[in-house]
Structures are given as structure tokens and as C-alpha cells.
Amino acid sequence: MLFESTEFVGRSCVPFVADLSRYGDRTALIADGAEISYGTLAERVDSAVRQLGTTRRLVLITGANTVDVIVAYLACLSAGHPVLLVPGGSSASLASMIDLYRPDVVCEDGRFGELTEGTAHDLHRDLALLLTTSGSTGSPKLVRLSHENVQANAESIATYLGIRESDRAITTLPMHYCYGLSILHSHLLRGAGTVLTDRSVTDSEFWALMRKHRVSALSGVPYTFDLLDRVGFADMDLPSLRYVTQAGGRLGADRVRGYSELGRRRGWDFFVMYGQTEATARMAYLPPALTIEHPDCIGIAVPGGSFRIEPIPESENGGELVYSGPNVMLGYATEPQDLALGREIDELRTGDLAVRNDDGLYRIVGRRSRFAKLFGLRIDLQRVEAALIGAGFDGCCTGGADELLVAVTGTDEARATETAAQACGLPTSAVRVRTVPELPRTQNGKVDYRAVAALFEERDRPDPVPPESDAQAGFTQLRDLYSAILGTTDVDADSTFVGLGGDSLSYVRMSVRLERLLGHLPPDWHTTPLRDLVPSARSAPRGWRTIETNVLIRALAIVLIVGSHANLFAIVGGAHVLLAAAGYNYARFVLPGARRERLRHTLQSVRRIAVPSMLWIGALVAFTGVHPIASVLLLNGFFGPEAWTREWRYWFIEALVYILIALAVLLAIPRVDSVERKHPFVFPLALVALGLLTRYQVIGPDTPTSQILASYVVFWLFPLGWAAARATTVWHRVAVSAVAVATLPGFFYAEPDRTALVIAGLLLLIWLPRMWWPALLVRPVEILAGASLYIYLTHFTVYTLLESDPWIAFTASIAGGIVYWYLWLGLEKLRRRISPGTAGTARCAAGARGGWRCVPLLRSSNELPPGSRRDP
């Protein structure tokens, strides 16, 4: 058994999955030339069920049209584990879902990785499947589907399509899309076969598979039929084809009629279907016998379902289409707590406007939300699009601030503008048309209206990207920047700074360089995929730029530390501010990700701090002998003197290393990790409370001489900075501010100036994430902040040699640290060049970036199980 068992799940909750074995030797799946029987599929599913264990858990699966993924998916349905099915291939959206919903188990490429022992969720007994809504890939909004929903919709689809055991479908749609998933469900229900492929219908190999495996069912969205037109589908000889289905958006009436007539000539039926993810997949279908006479209708409700039309005041034509049936979802989920909810709705308001004709067929006439208000007029955008189609344009439109925005394929902007203006009653000056080679579409083949609006935003940009810096060139610039600073070539469009292992040391250089490139810096840039960091110019006061407060604090703090030690001035407390800033950055760069990824990033941070520190101190010992070996090993806190001596000079380095190691151990405990994820703001405050026990000497040794330097005494400042980073509301910020103001007075004995400095630094972190700064000083701040660790290390040696002149001592100390920093960066580049990292072969969940446990669940595709057949 793969995972610990604490609770019995019970027998299959989805009947057609439990009945797989009854079809025996019939072919269930065909992949890579191998045919897998239902009996073999059932055995592999049962094996996966046993490995999953009996504790009911939330399992995230990245959808893919492969045998291993389908086996893993069916195993979850069989054992009753709710499945969160997400797109594969996008590490950014995957990380977003993991971060929000915290699944107990993650499965990518058919391999399970455990994030939580047992389960961290309260899962409703009826919950079977969670899908993203159409067009909302990466959105936290999920559709909650029950076991009954999955079974009922599969049965209704199989019934009206008349699916037989002898039928074979082929995958033309992704598994995570409800349309694609419904094809698999309905064919498994009837003991039919499914050919698994990711090839496009434009690929000749796709049609070779169609003929070789005698595929009888072909499915597509409107865009699929655009591609079929291009490849000459009408002239293809496909003798085994029995029916073609269309859903996922409206297909023009002329094309529906054309495909229906083609099907009658070629001997196959053409089904027009209508559905939404909220109804598991399908709600209506148009019987093939009616498609020529009523090509603009969606038809009738699927078996077991029913429609009604609810009048709405704002509609001049038809009312809202409302659907009822056993396939209507339980409700939506927008956060993990929603997974405990049961049924919240009994009927589905589709958002579509419809009418019912005399033959009892329903026809969609508009979309309730597809309206724009321009110049006091209510514009029906779908009617405009219909007019464009009628005029021979493939187009779509959306409402702008004070004009209608229209994207069309072709080159005749003037005629498209005139057509759209006449359809909506606006003057042509209020209609703006942009011609494109192809309409932007979502992964499911539907028109991407957000991308359409973005087309016009790009044109409106006051300072457009020059030809040599288009989207591809912009991405190349970002990729090269990330590669140079983070020392990795594993950078793609979905990469993020945090995901690539960025930390507070590399953050400074990256943030400043990135702002210089982009013209602005989004507040969450460190967790934003490169594809969304589009270079653009933002207005700023001449001679000024914004800079992140934590970067500025690091630069100013190291200046104050060095200046005070060199007797240039006496403003102390900078190191304690740096400790809080370290906690702030720890929350931002180390905590995102899975438990093992956190551990890896924390240990990387320890290495990046400890190694250059130990080398520098070791070099001093070798040449001068001024420090004991305990200082070289950063063990002065354990073996050094209690009173202040030169050995305590590096107390800040030791404290930071000790704290990071302690947190690595603490968060490596699954239960603690789970608690932190559930309570991200309360958890660091709890650590603050724990740290205050040593700050006030309630526990711990009585060491008054070095109290403000001992790591266990100053520890509370680190989680205080951590809490500042987690403060997402005004009340959170007020709470952290109150703790800072209440606990810092008295810590530095009779040093009110030092107390005020540390409080001010914390309040800036809490309340002002970014600040304006003279543009000419941004680069110096970047260098000072980036080199702060190295300046801290070296300045104790440099300034003592030049104490006679404070200014020279100060300048030389800063310069010496910067030189050591650049030398270290050069050594790191050389190390990476000599020993480049290689990506692992087993990619689980987020692959090499994931860091959680990868456990092989299934055999590789080259090791066919008993009962499989490989074509010669």
C-alpha cells in the first residue's frame, strides 16, 4: 500500500467504473499501437486503488490523454477519492491550484506524489470530481460534481448517441475539458473503445489512426471544424465513421446544415450538442434528422433532463434557459472549505437567452452577459457577431470604454466596420475593427474574449514595443534575465522567480533589473509566470522610480551598520531590522510550494549564507588567527563566550543560519506544515509568541550581556517580519504593527534611538511595500542591498585597518564587500558551468520544481501488462 490507511473508503461510488471488468477481453483503450482490454484496465485500476490506500483524500490529477493518467483517474473514482482535474503542461496554473486547494495527493503523468499524510480536508460524501469552468483555466473557481452527476451524464450521452460496444472514439479534446472527459465516460459505460492521441486533426497520422483502428465517432468544437475544412475532411474516405458530434460553442447554421448534408452523403450522423461544465457535460442535443431543417437550434434536453425558459425584463427576445436534471452540479468551490459542502442548487441557470419553437426545439438567441452599454444603448454582442458571420466574416466583438471592439479574420476592415455598425445601430466612428490572421482561442477551442480585448490594448499602448522587442523578443529578454541571475537554463513561459529557486539574495538584483525592463513591477511579480510579465511603459515622475521597501531597507541598514562601526555616525539597530526583513523575504520566496520544496529552498538559503561566511572567516583564521575554529563553523552561539567579544561580530549570520535550520526541521513535519498552510497569518504570530518567551527570558539561560545578540533571544524578530509579509488586510497590518510597537521597547535597554529605528523599519515593511526613490540612486541601492551579506562579513576586517579616517574606513568597507560579492557571483557562475544541474527524469506534479515525493504507480508504456496487445 502506497499511503497510510486510517479510514475505509468503501466500494466504487461511480457504477460504470466498478463494472469495467464485465466487458472482459473487449478493447477499452488503444495507445501507441497497444490495445488494452477492459479486464486488464480493471486490474490496473484495482492495483492503483490498493496503492492509494483507504483514507479518502483529495487527489489532483493533471489531465492527459494517456493510459497511465486514465488509470489513475479511474482508480480515484473507483475508490471514492475526489479528483481535482486540471490541465497538464502549465506549471503556473498547477502551482496556483496546489497553493490554493492543497490537495493531499498530486498525480502527474500517472505518478502519485503525496503532499499530506492522511487528509487535510473535510470532503463531502457525494463529491467525486472538481473541474475548472470553461475558459477559466488557472482560476480558483471550480465546479463540484457528484458521483451521480458523472454516472447520469454518461448514461444520457450514451443513450441519445446510441453508443455500442463495437464503437471506437478518438481523443480530439483534452481530458480536463468536460466535453473530452464525457467522451471517455460514455464509451467506458457501454464497453466501447477509445483511441488515445494528442495529434491534431491537421496531422496525417491522426487520420491514419482513424482508419487503422476503425474509429466510428469523431468529436469537435467549432474550431475543430475550421481545421477539418482546411484538411479536406469532406473528401476523406472513412468507412467506419458512424457519427460526428459538435459542442463547445455555436457552429454557424450554414455549417451545421453543410455537415449534416455531408454526413447523409457519407453515411454518418451529425449531432449538434449543447452543454456546460456545470451540467457535467451535456444538456441538449439536436437529433440528426432535424439538423438540416433546424440548423440554428440546440434541440431538446438530454434523457433525464428538462428545460424551462424564465422571462427576464431586459431581454427583448426570449428568456434565460434554465436546466434541471441529475447531472446538475452540486455547486461551485472557490476555496478548500467549500469541498465540505453538499448540494446547493437544484437547477442550472445557464446564462443563455433562448426561445422554444413550435416543434419543441430550443434555440439560443443571446447571452445574458454578452451585452455592452455604449452611448446609452444596450448592444447585443452576439447579434453583432451573427451579422458579421452572415456577411462572411469570422469575427467576434466585445465592449470597450466608449466603442465597440471587433476582431475579424481577413483584410476588409471597412466592410466589417460598416456591418458591425449597422447591426448595433452605432455610427461607424464608434466601431473599431482589427483584422487578425486567426481569432485568439482558449485551450478548449472557444474564442478568448480577454485576448480579443488585449489586441486593442496592445494597439493603444502609448509607447509601443519596437519591432525587435515584440512578444517573443520580450519573453527572450525575460528568460535571459532570469537565466543570468538565477543561473539556470530551465526557464519557460510558465516559470516564476520563486519556482526557479529565487531567494532574498537574488531577489534584489532581479527586482531592480526587472523594473528597469518592464517599466513597472507588479506586487506579486515573484510568483507571476513570465508569460504574464509583459514589458510595458508606466508613467512616473521625471527622475524618480519606485523601489521595493525591503530592498531599500537592506541597503540603508547595511550603510547604517558599517557607518556606525566605522565611527562615521552612531545610528544602530540596522542588523535587527535586517533580521525582520529576512523573515519577510522567507515568507515570500521559501514558503511557496510543496513541503519538500520548502525544505529544499530553505537549505539552499542556508548554503548561500553559510558557505561564503565560513570561507571568509576561515580565511581570516588562516592568515591572522584572530578567531577560534568555532567561529569558522558558525558555532560561536554554542561554544563562544557569553560576554561581548570579537567572536560575536558575526552573530547576525549565525542567528540567521540557526533560525533557517530550525524552521527547516519544523516545517518538515507534515502536521506542522499543514497547520501553517491552513493558518498562514496566525502561524508566524504563534512563533512570535514563542520567541517572546526567550526575548523576555521567561525560558532560556540568563545571558544579559549578549542578550540582544543571541539567536534564541532575537528569534522573535524573524517571524515578525514573516507575519508582515502574510498581512493581507488592514487588520492584519494593525495587529503586526501593534506587536512590534509593544515588544521592541525595552529590548535594547536604554537605547530609545535604536528601538525607534527597528520599529520604523518594521512599520515600513508592513505598510509601504514600495517607495519612490531618485532614479539615479536606484542602481547604488541595488548593489548595496545585493551585497549586504558580503559587506557585513568583510567590513569588520576592513574598517579596523583604517579607523584613523572614518570616511575612508566606511568607503573601503563598502567597496570591499561589493568586491567580495562580485567575486562570489563569478565563482557561482563557474561552478554552474563546470557542474550544470540536470533535470530529473521522473516529473511528478510540478516536475523538477515540485520537490514532493514521486512514487511510480504504473509501468512505463514500454512494459505492457498481461492482456495487452501490440500491433505489429
Side-chain angles (χ1 to χ4, degrees), residues 101-387:
Y101 283 97
R102 304 313 313 163
D104 304 308
V105 179
V106 174
C107 175
E108 187 179 38
D109 298 331
R111 299 175 183 270
F112 288 137
E114 185 179 33
L115 294 186
T116 306
E117 293 182 4
T119 182
H121 299 280
D122 182 9
L123 303 169
H124 193 274
R125 63 181 180 275
D126 294 335
L127 183 63
L129 182 60
L130 296 156
L131 297 176
T132 56
T133 58
S134 179
S136 67
T137 298
S139 166
K141 185 177 181 180
L142 300 176
V143 172
R144 293 184 290 114
L145 300 174
S146 69
H147 310 101
E148 181 190 16
N149 292 155
V150 175
Q151 180 74 19
N153 207 230
E155 289 177 351
S156 66
I157 293 170
T159 298
Y160 72 74
L161 289 179
I163 298 176
R164 311 164 184 168
E165 287 186 2
S166 58
D167 280 331
R168 285 184 176 178
I170 188 168
T171 54
T172 53
L173 302 162
M175 178 184 172
H176 69 268
Y177 179 32
C178 68
Y179 185 7
L181 193 61
S182 71
I183 295 169
L184 176 68
H185 287 171
S186 56
H187 282 74
L188 290 175
L189 176 81
R190 289 293 174 86
T194 304
V195 180
L196 305 179
T197 180
D198 287 324
R199 295 187 181 276
S200 167
V201 295
T202 60
D203 192 330
S204 61
E205 288 298 319
F206 177 91
W207 301 106
L209 289 172
M210 284 276 295
R211 297 182 181 94
K212 178 179 180 180
H213 298 294
R214 303 179 303 282
V215 171
S216 56
L218 180 65
S219 304
V221 296
Y223 183 58
T224 308
F225 292 87
D226 293 342
L227 299 178
L228 291 178
D229 290 344
R230 296 180 192 177
V231 299
F233 173 72
D235 299 323
M236 290 184 182
D237 182 22
L238 302 167
S240 61
L241 189 60
R242 198 169 69 81
Y243 62 89
V244 176
T245 67
Q246 181 270 318
R250 183 176 181 178
L251 193 65
D254 290 342
R255 302 187 72 198
V256 170
R257 185 180 288 111
Y259 271 94
S260 299
E261 293 172 344
L262 175 64
R264 292 186 182 184
R265 293 195 304 270
R266 292 287 187 176
W268 45 263
D269 292 327
F270 185 61
F271 287 84
V272 173
M273 308 188 300
Y274 165 80
Q276 292 180 0
T277 309
E278 289 84 347
T280 311
R282 307 274 72 80
M283 289 182 284
Y285 74 102
L286 182 62
L290 303 176
T291 51
I292 292 179
E293 186 179 354
H294 301 282
D296 57 348
C297 292
I298 62 170
I300 58 177
V302 299
S306 62
F307 286 118
R308 67 180 178 87
I309 294 177
E310 182 175 290
I312 54 176
E314 64 266 30
S315 175
E316 300 174 359
N317 186 18
E320 183 174 13
L321 188 65
V322 181
Y323 174 81
S324 298
N327 53 317
V328 172
M329 67 175 180
L330 300 174
Y332 291 111
T334 56
E335 58 182 355
Q337 289 79 359
D338 294 340
L339 306 186
L341 300 176
R343 179 164 294 282
E344 294 184 299
I345 63 171
D346 294 314
E347 58 181 11
L348 178 64
R349 296 180 176 275
T350 66
D352 287 324
L353 305 179
V355 295
R356 186 172 183 266
N357 66 19
D358 295 337
D359 294 317
L361 303 177
Y362 290 88
R363 178 167 60 89
I364 303 297
V365 296
R367 178 75 182 161
R368 188 167 187 171
S369 60
R370 290 282 290 140
F371 288 91
K373 196 73 174 288
L374 298 171
F375 306 104
L377 299 176
R378 184 177 173 81
I379 309 299
D380 184 339
L381 300 178
Q382 190 148 333
R383 179 178 295 181
V384 177
E385 290 176 354

